[in-house]
Amino acid sequence: MKQILFSGGIGLILSLLGTPALIKLLARHGYGQYIRDDGPKAHHSKRGTPTMGGIAFILATLVAYFATKAITGESPTASGILVLFLTVGLGLVGFLDDYIKVVKRRSLGLRAKAKLFGQSFVGLAFAVLSMQFANSRNQTPASTHLSFVNDFEWSIGPVLFVIWAYFMIAAMSNGVNLTDGLDGLATGASVMVFGAYVFIGVWQYGQTCAHMITATASCYDVRDPLDLAVVASALMGSCFGFLWWNTSPAKIFMGDTGSLALGGALAGLAICSRTELLLALLGGLFVIITLSVIIQVGSFRMTGKRVFKMAPLQHHFELKGWSEVLIVVRFWIIQGLCVAVGLGLFYAGWVAG
């Protein structure tokens, strides 16, 4: 368990102390946030705030993970490395998008086809690689079985699994991206989900089938549950440190660099911990906000009418007169409830098993 404490603590300290240095660096080069004119009027005052802040917590997470391994003498695992690969890979795609927006002054950033190609390449590479690296018990980081709190008995096969994994990665990375519209909203919500995955990883490690002479229905056949908890702890600590500077009034925004990386990390943790469908509940706020966009677009195309004043959902409440801080806190409460219910179902699944 020392690994979890080390990774979370190191990530927190590095992000808390490193983010101000990044803010100064970005401000010196004029890498400020572009604010679209068709967004809420209150956001115009945020124009020029340094963006690409995701660099801070991505680097802090990487250093925290590998420093923890060096301190404890433990070796990195295939599952941990793959989740970090997905996080950094999608973060790089987001960085290119942000860089084009703020440096090249192109408001839409990376062209849609190029962005899709980047996300697809990283997501599909993760999906394929996650079915490799079997250990002595023939366990691979991911499974071709769909899962909720554990694997279902039937397999969908490798081809459908790759498609399913890519869908999860794309959905969650874009969901966090849509949620990142108010100061601290996506960061705080992500911290809660990463905290849930610390608990899940520790619990699975304690109840892993590898520790039991005879496997039971309630044991977990996950390849590297403890290391997934270490990765989740590093991400949680790094995001906590970043939140100090990202909360209202934000001194820095995470940008697509951060939002795509966080979404990828969440999807990777769910896939490798065999809690794929549970992620829809643990990350309930991201799902709700994504659905608000789908509903808005679908309604307008079919009827010519809008359901919300503006989508994503947080901007609807802004236009209704709610303050930014009020929206963020209430949405955090919703996210906290989603995590509580999700962990409750996770535990109930173990008891029932």
Side-chain angles (χ1 to χ4, degrees):
M1 300 306 160
K2 291 189 297 184
Q3 292 188 71
I4 294 173
L5 295 176
F6 279 133
S7 64
I10 294 172
L12 171 63
I13 293 170
L14 288 177
S15 185
L16 185 62
L17 299 180
T19 301
L22 179 62
I23 293 173
K24 292 179 181 178
L25 177 65
L26 294 172
R28 187 182 307 127
H29 289 84
Y31 293 169
Q33 177 68 37
Y34 172 84
I35 303 295
R36 294 176 60 177
D37 292 330
D38 57 352
K41 302 299 183 185
H43 287 205
H44 290 178
S45 62
K46 299 181 181 184
R47 182 177 278 114
T49 301
T51 188
M52 296 190 285
I55 295 171
F57 58 75
I58 292 173
L59 291 178
T61 297
L62 290 174
V63 174
Y65 177 80
F66 289 107
T68 295
K69 295 301 177 181
I71 293 170
T72 60
E74 300 290 338
S75 300
T77 67
S79 299
I81 294 297
L82 280 171
V83 173
L84 291 175
F85 162 76
L86 184 58
T87 303
V88 174
L90 289 180
L92 180 58
V93 175
F95 172 79
L96 293 174
D97 191 40
D98 288 333
Y99 183 82
I100 291 172
K101 287 178 184 176
V102 301
V103 177
K104 302 300 183 181
R105 303 297 179 183
R106 198 168 76 203
S107 62
L108 296 180
L110 201 62
R111 299 194 186 280
K113 289 184 179 179
K115 190 173 183 178
L116 179 62
F117 173 79
Q119 289 178 294
S120 300
F121 177 81
V122 176
L124 293 174
F126 168 85
V128 172
L129 290 172
S130 66
M131 293 187 290
Q132 315 303 317
F133 309 108
N135 61 9
S136 59
R137 300 185 72 248
N138 203 35
Q139 295 172 308
T140 54
S143 167
T144 57
H145 297 255
L146 292 179
S147 59
F148 182 56
V149 298
N150 219 329
D151 279 347
F152 296 127
E153 293 183 0
W154 37 271
S155 170
I156 60 175
V159 175
L160 286 179
F161 166 76
V162 169
I163 296 173
W164 164 244
Y166 170 70
F167 169 77
M168 279 192 63
I169 293 165
M172 189 51 62
S173 60
N174 288 315
V176 177
N177 185 252
L178 290 171
T179 304
D180 182 35
L182 299 181
D183 295 354
L185 178 58
T187 310
S190 297
V191 165
M192 297 182 205
V193 190
F194 289 133
Y197 273 107
V198 173
F199 172 84
I200 288 172
V202 171
W203 186 266
Q204 289 179 332
Y205 178 71
Q207 309 298 327
T208 182
C209 299
H211 291 170
M212 300 181 181
I213 299 175
T214 303
T216 64
S218 59
C219 72
Y220 298 97
D221 194 28
V222 177
R223 188 190 192 280
D224 307 299
L226 184 59
D227 208 42
L228 291 174
V230 173
V231 173
S233 180
L235 285 160
M236 179 179 69
S238 299
C239 286
F240 249 133
F242 181 75
L243 184 59
W244 181 270
W245 306 102
N246 182 232
T247 194
S248 183
K251 299 293 186 296
I252 188 171
F253 300 136
M254 70 168 69
D256 283 11
T257 305
S259 59
L260 295 185
L262 292 181
L266 291 172
L269 288 169
I271 291 168
C272 292
S273 66
R274 315 295 170 79
T275 55
E276 296 159 7
L277 297 176
L278 185 64
L279 179 60
L281 185 53
L282 291 173
L285 180 64
F286 305 126
V287 175
I288 291 169
I289 288 177
T290 301
L291 287 175
S292 73
V293 175
I294 294 173
I295 291 170
Q296 183 85 325
V297 173
S299 175
F300 186 76
R301 287 183 176 178
M302 290 188 293
T303 66
K305 297 180 180 180
R306 293 179 173 85
V307 176
F308 307 106
K309 290 179 178 294
M310 182 179 288
L313 187 61
Q314 62 268 30
H315 299 319
H316 167 79
F317 289 105
E318 275 193 289
L319 295 183
K320 284 179 67 69
W322 290 22
S323 70
E324 182 171 4
V325 173
L326 179 63
I327 297 169
V328 170
V329 172
R330 286 182 173 175
F331 276 36
W332 279 352
I333 292 172
I334 293 172
Q335 178 57 51
L337 291 172
C338 290
V339 166
V341 173
L343 289 179
L345 288 176
F346 176 78
Y347 178 73
W350 177 80
V351 172

